[in-house]
């Protein structure tokens, strides 16, 4: 039975965190707020020689399994091992997969999960049985998020594929990523569900959380450093506030002869439209679905491709037509069949990326990590790398 409470009394994450801190304090714990930018937890709680950490999640929807696993990973990490336990406290409830995880945990598991209602914390199991009010905590300054858009007016060139796997590549590098699905087709939500947990054997894993464009609110993805929007192909259908906020925009295209001919104009128009709303975003044209060609044909296509955008390059110093020899997304069966699971198992689709190894290699993983690296080098997402 999913636990579910609507919390009309909570207006923001900060208020919710203070509320949770009060409830725990009332039960006799000393409560401290974690340092700003502290990864892994929000509150530190002590009673005698028992020291634990609390992850506070202010969500409009249920907690997902990746969100919980990330906290479990933290508790198992070098830093997390110092604590006796971890409490995961949220607003609304725990979804089916998260509850299945919780059920599978035993008494040695350090996580206990609960929901903060108006007067008390309600444990998903009996161990988190704290009641009361009082105490307080200092709000944490939220970090500035970096926004990516994946946009082109053309359908079927890989917007959703690129958005999802760029998120994966960034998550593998240790960022928490929010994917915002702005396309009315809502493919991202179908493919990735609530989110994906990306484990990191060397440290704390990260999550990719998926949001419907209509529900998007920064506070819902408080610990995400990166936001990636899978945009609607009709620019005017995307929320203007989001287009204005984009730091980077990826424009996927294909390198087939007819595609370049047609698409050149489309991209010029696309850039013009974006620039009317956003003058600062770095724009990257990315070749997707790249097939191995003979050298001669490749050089011909490449020169047509690069010259198609030279005009824009001259006028716009934040426009970059990525040389496919440097970075492109290769055609692969893994990406081609990514999403087949929603057809194979529509009742219970699993959330995963096309990042499996085949013979020790994985093209999509390599290509998207390269893309992330390229963007970082060219335009710098280094502001995020504080630790
Ligand atoms: N690099 C690639 N290699 C193989 N197939 C791809 C690749 N990129 C996209 N595809 C295929 O193209 C289809 C359309 O891609 P999608 O990301 O849904 O495009 P869009 O979101 O722009 O409509 C996908 O279902 C996938 O099968
Ligand atoms: Mg799509």
């Amino acid at each position: 039975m999913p636990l579910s409470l609507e919390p009309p009394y909570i207006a923001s994450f900060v208020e919710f965190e203070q509320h949770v801190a009060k409830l725990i304090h009332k039960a006799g714990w000393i409560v401290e707020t974690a340092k700003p930018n502290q990864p892994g937890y929000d509150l530190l709680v002590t009673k005698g020689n028992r020291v634990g950490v609390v992850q506070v999640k202010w969500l409009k929807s249920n907690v997902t399994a990746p969100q919980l696993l990330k906290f479990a990973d933290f508790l198992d990490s070098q830093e997390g091992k110092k604590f006796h336990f971890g409490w995961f406290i949220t607003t609304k409830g725990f979804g089916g997969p998260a509850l299945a995880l919780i059920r599978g945990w035993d008494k040695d598991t350090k996580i206990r999960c609960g929901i903060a209602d108006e007067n008390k914390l309600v444990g998903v199991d009996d161990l988190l049985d704290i009641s009361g009010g009082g105490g307080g905590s200092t709000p944490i300054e939220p970090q500035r998020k970096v926004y990516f858009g994946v946009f082109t007016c053309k359908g079927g060139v890989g917007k959703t594929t690129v958005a999802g796997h760029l998120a994966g590549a960034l998550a593998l590098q240790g960022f928490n990523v929010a994917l915002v699905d702005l396309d009315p087709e809502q493919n991202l939500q179908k493919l990735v569900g609530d989110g994906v947990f990306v484990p990191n054997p060397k440290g704390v894993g990260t999550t990719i959380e998926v949001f419907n464009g209509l529900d998007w609110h920064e506070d819902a993805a408080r610990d995400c450093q990166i936001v990636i929007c899978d945009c609607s192909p009709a620019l005017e259908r995307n929320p203007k506030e989001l287009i204005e906020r984009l730091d980077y925009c990826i424009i996927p295209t294909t390198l087939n002869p007819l595609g370049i001919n047609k698409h050149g104009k489309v991209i010029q128009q696309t850039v013009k439209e974006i620039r009317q709303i956003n003058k600062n975003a770095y724009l990257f044209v990315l070749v997707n679905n790249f097939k191995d060609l003979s050298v001669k044909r490749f050089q011909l296509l490449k020169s047509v491709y690069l010259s198609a955008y030279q005009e824009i390059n001259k006028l716009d110093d934040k426009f970059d037509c990525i040389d496919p020899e440097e970075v492109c997304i290769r055609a692969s069966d893994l990406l081609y069949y990514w999403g087949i699971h929603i057809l194979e198992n529509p009742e219970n689709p699993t959330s995963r990326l096309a990042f499996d190894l085949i013979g020790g290699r994985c093209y999509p993983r390599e290509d998207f990590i390269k893309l992330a690296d390229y963007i970082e080098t060219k335009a710098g997402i280094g502001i995020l790398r504080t630790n």
Side-chain angles (χ1 to χ4, degrees):
M1 180 202 61
L3 281 166
S4 183
L5 292 166
E6 294 300 333
Y9 53 94
I10 299 296
S12 70
F13 171 81
V14 171
E15 248 180 67
F16 183 61
E17 188 184 62
Q18 287 172 344
H19 176 65
V20 171
K22 269 185 207 164
L23 295 180
I24 298 173
H25 177 78
K26 190 70 184 275
W29 295 83
I30 298 165
V31 185
E32 287 167 67
T33 305
K35 289 194 291 284
N37 305 337
Q38 169 65 52
Y41 60 91
D42 299 302
L43 303 171
L44 188 73
V45 298
T46 328
K47 193 194 262 184
N49 56 8
R50 304 262 305 150
V51 183
V53 287
V54 186
Q55 169 76 273
V56 181
K57 278 276 174 193
W58 182 68
L59 296 173
K60 286 177 188 151
S61 49
N62 287 329
V63 172
T64 63
Q67 290 169 335
L68 273 185
L69 283 170
K70 190 193 155 206
F71 190 46
D73 235 29
F74 169 75
L75 292 171
D76 284 340
S77 71
Q78 277 310 98
E79 200 187 346
K81 278 196 183 120
K82 293 187 288 197
F83 305 109
H84 296 108
F85 58 85
W87 293 337
F88 191 105
I89 311 290
T90 189
T91 29
K92 190 166 178 247
F94 294 82
L99 281 174
L101 267 179
I102 295 167
R103 271 189 231 108
W105 287 339
D106 67 7
K107 61 177 176 38
D108 295 330
T109 309
K110 282 159 73 180
I111 293 194
R112 295 293 172 260
C113 300
I115 295 165
D117 79 10
E118 214 164 339
N119 305 305
K120 63 184 184 306
L121 294 175
V122 183
V124 171
D125 47 49
D126 294 330
L127 285 162
L128 196 64
D129 189 20
I130 311 163
S131 54
S137 72
T138 331
I140 297 170
E141 206 51 50
Q143 296 177 4
R144 182 195 172 285
K145 297 184 197 310
V146 169
Y147 279 73
F148 286 79
V150 182
F151 174 75
T152 164
C153 352
K154 208 163 163 239
V157 290
K159 283 188 298 295
T160 301
T161 307
V162 168
H165 291 85
L166 176 60
L170 291 164
L172 284 171
Q173 294 181 46
F175 298 116
N176 289 318
V177 186
L179 274 173
V180 184
D181 196 351
L182 299 174
D183 193 327
E185 283 182 46
Q186 302 206 325
N187 279 337
L188 260 183
Q189 285 175 75
K190 286 178 213 149
L191 284 160
V192 191
D194 291 335
V196 184
F197 176 72
V198 183
N200 178 353
K202 293 210 192 96
V204 182
T206 47
T207 45
I208 302 174
E209 293 180 63
V210 180
F211 297 86
N212 184 319
L214 299 172
D215 298 342
W216 169 248
H217 191 287
E218 263 205 7
D219 289 350
R222 189 173 165 275
D223 56 4
C224 289
Q225 301 94 334
I226 294 177
V227 180
I228 301 182
C229 304
D230 183 13
C231 296
S232 163
L235 189 65
E236 71 281 1
R237 292 235 196 97
N238 297 290
K240 198 172 164 216
E241 325 74 81
L242 272 174
I243 302 295
E244 273 168 353
R245 288 204 64 165
L246 296 183
D247 299 290
Y248 309 102
C249 186
I250 316 283
I251 306 173
T253 185
T254 48
L255 198 63
N256 53 316
L258 299 179
I260 295 175
N261 255 353
K262 270 191 304 203
H263 211 187
K265 290 245 166 359
V266 170
I267 287 181
Q268 282 175 15
Q269 188 57 32
T270 301
V271 171
K272 223 189 230 168
E273 284 180 29
I274 293 176
R275 282 291 179 242
Q276 278 166 12
I277 302 175
N278 181 325
K279 304 238 183 299
N280 296 314
Y282 283 85
L283 311 179
F284 295 97
V285 180
L286 169 74
V287 172
N288 179 35
N289 216 344
F290 178 76
K291 294 182 181 66
D292 247 339
L293 305 160
S294 71
V295 174
K296 213 172 137 200
R297 287 193 162 170
F298 172 70
Q299 289 307 333
L300 172 64
L301 283 176
K302 183 180 145 175
S303 69
V304 176
Y305 164 72
L306 293 177
S307 68
Y309 308 122
Q310 231 165 25
E311 290 307 304
I312 312 177
N313 254 329
K314 275 187 223 147
L315 298 171
D316 199 315
D317 62 352
K318 284 184 170 177
F319 176 86
D320 187 349
C321 192
I322 306 176
D323 182 340
E325 281 186 284
E326 239 180 293
V327 178
C328 68
I329 308 303
R330 288 167 281 185
S332 72
D333 279 358
L334 278 173
L335 289 175
Y336 185 79
Y337 291 113
W338 180 56
I340 191 91
H341 56 273
I342 55 174
L343 304 178
E344 285 173 344
N345 194 1
E347 297 305 314
N348 193 17
T350 47
S351 304
R352 53 180 321 173
L353 297 171
F355 276 174
D356 296 336
L357 292 176
I358 295 176
R361 299 285 301 268
C362 174
Y363 284 178
R365 188 178 348 193
E366 291 170 14
D367 292 346
F368 281 99
I369 289 175
K370 262 165 85 180
L371 173 64
D373 200 309
Y374 182 92
I375 296 167
E376 176 159 0
T377 314
K378 286 276 164 178
I381 45 178
I383 45 165
L384 288 167
R385 295 191 190 271
T386 48
N387 44 26

